[in-house]
Amino acid sequence: MKTIKLIVVFCCCLASTRLFAQDSPQAIEADLLRILQKVNYYGSHKKQWKAIDSLQKQNKIFGFKLKYYTSKYPATISQPFTSLIKAKLVIATSADGQFRTYSWNTQLGTKGFDIYNVLQYKNNGKTTALLKMDTVGKKGSLPLWYSKIYTFTNSNKTYYLAPYNSVYSPAKAGQGLRIFTIDKGSLISNPPLIKTPTGVYSQLHYDFDVSSIADWKSYPSIYFDPSKQTIYTPLVDYNHKMTRKFIPYKFNGRFFEKLKS
């Protein structure tokens, strides 16, 4: 039954997309903004009767429309979408303009944030978009939003280092960095470039106690320094308390590996 409802929602939003957009960047943005505003409205009125049903529906419509537009119209990968950003859509774009992420809080979470993402990438002049619907409690799911994309090139291959944030509850949050690359027309989300004592991975991640930064005006975040080819990740102690120290992972020609202190 859920599958049938999902197909109906997709067909309806696809039909309205074709009627409304007409290839205009302004019309595309206006159509997406109209739906995102509904997400924000129902998200702020969740206690009202049937508001959750409407919120779920509008999130699905927005996700499918965003995926459709960003797949069909290559120019969207450089479109600023200023009004959508003001409506709390988080957009991160690589310096070479080949990879972009769109993230939004569905407002369906009860304690933490439920985040949906659309990942858009360019290949041979065309764009492809992937919709990732990650929710708290879903097995193998990590609800996160991407805040920035760093570009790193090695052996004529470009990698995208994307820091992200997660909020599980008012007391617990997480941050990390994922590495992507585009290979043979596909977006690869697990290139093994980070070496730790336990193995080789495509991401770094850490959780921390939110109370440890409650009285800080600002707190450290994971970042990449291209000039030093080094990823810096904040040190979290054994009690999950955030510190102001960093752990450096420097690229050695093959892997990003932790520098010995």
Side-chain angles (χ1 to χ4, degrees):
M1 189 67 181
K2 288 184 179 179
T3 302
I4 294 174
K5 288 182 178 179
L6 196 60
I7 292 172
V8 170
V9 168
F10 174 72
C11 291
C12 290
C13 73
L14 188 60
S16 63
T17 296
R18 288 173 175 170
L19 289 171
F20 189 86
Q22 298 180 346
D23 298 349
S24 163
Q26 294 81 8
I28 290 172
E29 183 167 353
D31 191 28
L32 289 171
L33 178 62
R34 179 176 59 87
I35 305 302
L36 186 55
Q37 286 175 334
K38 290 183 179 180
V39 170
N40 292 335
Y41 173 80
Y42 289 117
S44 63
H45 295 79
K46 287 193 290 187
K47 293 183 179 180
Q48 293 184 5
W49 185 65
K50 288 192 175 181
I52 288 294
D53 291 342
S54 297
L55 182 59
Q56 290 174 334
K57 178 182 176 181
Q58 296 305 322
N59 270 298
K60 288 175 182 177
I61 292 175
F62 182 75
F64 282 123
K65 281 198 170 188
L66 181 59
K67 179 180 181 294
Y68 172 79
Y69 285 135
T70 52
S71 292
K72 185 172 182 179
Y73 302 102
T76 54
I77 202 165
S78 59
Q79 192 168 336
F81 288 121
T82 305
S83 65
L84 297 181
I85 292 173
K86 289 180 180 179
K88 300 181 181 179
L89 178 68
V90 180
I91 301 176
T93 311
S94 64
D96 63 2
Q98 300 297 300
F99 181 49
R100 174 180 267 197
T101 60
Y102 305 83
S103 309
W104 72 99
N105 179 13
T106 66
Q107 304 184 59
L108 291 166
T110 54
K111 293 182 179 180
F113 290 178
D114 276 6
I115 307 294
Y116 287 1
N117 291 283
V118 168
L119 310 181
Q120 181 187 27
Y121 63 97
K122 200 171 184 178
N123 184 64
N124 294 326
K126 297 181 179 181
T127 51
T128 301
L130 308 172
L131 174 60
K132 304 290 185 181
M133 297 187 288
D134 296 321
T135 58
V136 174
K138 181 181 176 182
K139 186 176 181 181
S141 173
L142 179 63
L144 53 87
W145 72 92
Y146 298 98
S147 55
K148 188 178 179 66
I149 299 174
Y150 296 99
T151 304
F152 171 68
T153 302
N154 179 59
S155 300
N156 296 318
K157 194 171 188 63
T158 301
Y159 297 92
Y160 302 102
L161 283 59
Y164 62 80
N165 299 273
S166 297
V167 176
Y168 314 117
S169 71
K172 185 179 179 182
Q175 292 182 333
L177 179 144
R178 282 185 173 177
I179 300 179
F180 299 87
T181 190
I182 300 169
D183 185 53
K184 297 179 181 178
S186 297
L187 182 66
I188 309 301
S189 61
N190 59 349
L193 281 184
I194 301 172
K195 188 175 182 180
T196 74
T198 59
V200 179
Y201 305 96
S202 61
Q203 69 175 30
L204 291 167
H205 179 84
Y206 54 92
D207 294 331
F208 62 93
D209 185 340
V210 175
S211 66
S212 66
I213 60 168
D215 58 350
W216 294 9
K217 291 184 178 180
S218 62
Y219 59 93
S221 299
I222 192 168
Y223 70 96
F224 174 63
D225 186 335
S227 63
K228 297 181 180 179
Q229 295 192 335
T230 302
I231 299 170
Y232 292 90
T233 177
L235 173 64
V236 177
D237 67 21
Y238 291 107
N239 294 315
H240 300 290
K241 305 295 183 183
M242 176 77 77
T243 73
R244 296 188 185 275
K245 297 179 180 180
F246 283 90
I247 303 171
Y249 288 82
K250 186 173 178 59
F251 191 69
N252 60 18
R254 186 177 179 185
F255 301 113
F256 287 98
E257 193 166 9
K258 180 180 176 182
L259 289 177
K260 295 181 179 179
S261 56

